[in-house]
């Protein structure tokens, strides 16, 4: 059994509470020294693979426990809503919510960024081309250094494979899907990043990204998120979202799949409580109880809007050619200064 994984206990409790309203898949079981922990996915709603899907992922980096906790906070709200909200229940007959709260349970248990093999799972996917910010953008030198991509030519780690399987089976197969992967540890504000990570070049679906950003701006007028391309902050090789986004573009261009990264601005927690600096998790997790509570409730409105948007893809995708061209020009002006 794990040393210290209250998040896994909480997930099991939520699964019990959800009962027949959800189905659970064990994607893998990860062993490391005396640990043996499952990677669990929870799905709610339509089983039809093509049903529009909203997905939430957390715990890719074990130090960033707050990501898992934010996903579990959303699942807690859903478990309660399903008890009394007929509107949600009716909506979920034709769309799906898919959750993978803890991609890297060994990392979470051991309080480390990487998995048990020292591999940074968000640098572990195959990658052709691209330029990485030195070190932080991924390297093949040694698992003793952070941001290790895994041995050259080696297979992907079990956790990365589980994440890819989850996305293919329940998310990118959908007629339209939006995914949010929750992280922390960078910057003063909460950022919502869209691909790519490996290059500053814009993705082909820039028009759809701007249409979705406009939808979020209009629906949550006072939101806190800075929506921007990930590569504007740093570039990285082997990003799993680059890998899965490209795969989708190659095989199913007509089924929009937008993988976003929610990067919680943890430096604000340090600024307000400098003692966090000297605590092992202080750089990544809010340590004051009120700040933790605020973080856990802060993102529920965003997830609600994105879940609704995933089920209403006509609001942000399927643009006709003239609107697409206009939207692309506006996106270049907003994000690329041209
Ligand atoms: Zn992270």
């Amino acid at each position: 059994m794990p040393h210290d994984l209250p998040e896994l206990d909480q997930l099991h409790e939520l699964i019990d509470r959800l009962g027949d309203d959800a189905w659970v898949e064990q994607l893998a079981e990860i062993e490391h020294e005396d640990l043996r922990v499952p990677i669990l996915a929870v799905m709610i709603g339509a089983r039809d693979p093509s049903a529009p899907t909203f997905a939430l992922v957390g715990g890719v980096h074990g130090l960033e426990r707050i990501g898992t906790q934010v996903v579990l906070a959303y699942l807690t709200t859903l478990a309660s809503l399903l008890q009394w909200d007929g509107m949600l229940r009716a909506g979920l007959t034709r769309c799906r919510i898919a959750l993978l709260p803890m991609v890297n349970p060994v990392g979470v248990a051991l309080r480390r960024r990487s998995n048990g093999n020292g591999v940074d799972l968000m640098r572990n996917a195959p990658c052709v081309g691209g330029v990485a910010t030195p070190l932080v953008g991924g390297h093949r030198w040694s698992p003793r250094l952070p941001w290790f991509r895994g041995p050259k030519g080696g297979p992907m780690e079990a956790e990365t494979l589980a994440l890819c399987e989850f996305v293919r089976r329940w998310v990118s197969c959908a007629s339209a899907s939006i995914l949010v992967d929750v992280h922390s540890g960078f910057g003063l504000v909460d950022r919502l990043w869209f691909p790519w990570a490996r290059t500053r070049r814009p993705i082909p679906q820039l028009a759809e990204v701007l249409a979705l950003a406009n939808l979020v701006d209009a629906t949550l007028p006072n939101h806190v998120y800075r929506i921007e391309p990930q590569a504007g902050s740093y570039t990285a090789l082997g990003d799993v979202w680059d890998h899965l986004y490209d795969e989708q573009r190659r095989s199913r261009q007509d089924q929009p799949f937008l993988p976003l990264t929610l990067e919680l601005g943890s430096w604000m927690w340090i600024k307000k409580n400098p003692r966090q600096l000297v605590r092992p998790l202080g750089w990544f997790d809010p340590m004051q109880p009120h700040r933790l509570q605020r973080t856990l409730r802060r993102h529920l409105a965003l997830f609600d809007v994105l879940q609704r948007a995933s089920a209403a893809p006509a609001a942000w995708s399927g643009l006709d050619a003239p609107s697409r061209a206009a939207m692309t020009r506006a996106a270049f002006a907003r994000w690329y200064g041209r």
Side-chain angles (χ1 to χ4, degrees):
M1 274 306 288
H3 303 277
D4 181 15
L5 266 179
E7 291 86 355
L8 188 58
D9 298 337
Q10 193 189 345
L11 177 56
H12 281 301
E13 278 164 30
L14 284 166
I15 288 169
D16 285 347
R17 245 175 93 187
L18 284 157
D20 292 341
D21 286 334
W23 72 98
V24 178
E25 282 188 4
Q26 178 167 319
L27 300 166
E29 190 169 56
I30 308 296
E31 289 189 55
H32 177 75
E33 295 170 356
D34 60 336
L35 280 169
R36 185 196 286 202
V37 274
I39 301 180
L40 298 174
V42 180
M43 274 66 64
I44 302 170
R47 286 180 185 255
D48 173 359
S50 70
T53 298
F54 173 63
L56 261 190
V57 170
V60 168
H61 292 137
L63 269 174
E64 302 160 15
R65 303 174 81 99
I66 187 65
T68 294
Q69 292 165 2
V70 164
V71 177
L72 293 176
Y74 178 64
L75 186 56
T76 304
T77 298
L78 287 176
S80 176
L81 285 173
L82 284 166
Q83 302 295 314
W84 58 268
D85 182 358
M87 242 165 59
L88 175 68
R89 190 175 280 282
L92 284 169
T93 56
R94 61 167 203 89
C95 64
R96 174 169 53 246
I97 299 173
L99 304 156
L100 182 43
M102 208 188 309
V103 176
N104 178 11
V106 168
V108 174
L110 300 179
R111 312 282 202 274
R112 58 156 89 157
R113 178 184 172 89
S114 68
N115 72 352
N117 299 330
V119 175
D120 184 331
L121 302 175
M122 216 18 91
R123 308 280 186 275
N124 184 226
C127 181
V128 182
V131 184
T133 302
L135 199 61
V136 65
H139 62 85
R140 301 268 194 205
W141 299 326
S142 162
R144 290 171 191 279
L145 292 168
W147 308 294
F148 179 57
R149 293 189 57 206
K152 194 162 194 248
M156 279 194 272
E157 297 295 298
E159 295 91 338
T160 318
L161 289 168
L163 174 57
C164 292
E165 185 192 335
F166 163 77
V167 170
R168 288 180 193 127
R169 188 128 60 131
W170 295 115
V171 189
S172 60
C173 54
S175 55
S177 54
I178 298 171
L179 178 147
V180 177
D181 176 22
V182 189
H183 288 252
S184 67
F186 182 88
L188 284 168
V189 298
D190 294 339
R191 289 157 204 269
L192 207 47
W193 279 335
F194 58 86
W196 286 305
R198 68 173 182 277
T199 169
R200 290 185 211 283
R201 278 194 303 126
I203 54 170
Q205 281 178 309
L206 206 55
E208 285 78 6
V209 172
L210 181 60
L212 184 66
N214 287 345
L215 199 71
V216 172
D217 290 346
T219 314
L220 287 177
N222 299 302
H223 74 73
V224 296
Y225 305 99
R226 189 176 293 173
I227 304 173
E228 59 187 18
Q230 156 149 17
S233 292
Y234 62 87
T235 48
L237 300 178
D239 184 278
V240 177
W241 303 121
D242 279 18
H243 177 61
L244 291 167
Y245 174 80
D246 291 347
E247 182 182 278
Q248 177 81 358
R249 293 290 307 167
R250 281 194 299 273
S251 56
R252 291 185 297 265
Q253 277 202 25
D254 55 330
Q255 295 168 238
F257 162 61
L258 284 186
L260 306 173
T261 298
L262 173 56
E263 186 75 42
L264 305 179
S266 62
W267 298 352
M268 184 55 78
W269 308 325
I270 296 171
K271 200 168 145 188
K272 293 194 170 161
N273 178 21
R275 273 178 306 166
Q276 290 214 173
L277 268 174
V278 296
R279 303 278 288 273
L281 293 176
W283 282 84
F284 304 97
D285 280 357
M287 302 183 81
Q288 302 277 4
H290 71 277
R291 210 158 281 139
L292 173 63
Q293 286 164 1
R294 191 183 304 151
T295 306
L296 293 183
R297 69 174 178 257
R298 185 176 164 109
H299 308 288
L300 298 175
L302 173 73
F303 299 156
D304 186 45
V305 167
L306 292 179
Q307 190 267 318
R308 287 160 187 269
S310 71
W316 54 276
S317 68
L319 306 166
D320 61 28
S323 341
R324 199 156 199 281
M327 206 58 106
T328 304
R329 276 196 303 278
F332 268 103
R334 173 165 169 173
W335 287 308
Y336 298 91
R338 349 181 187 148

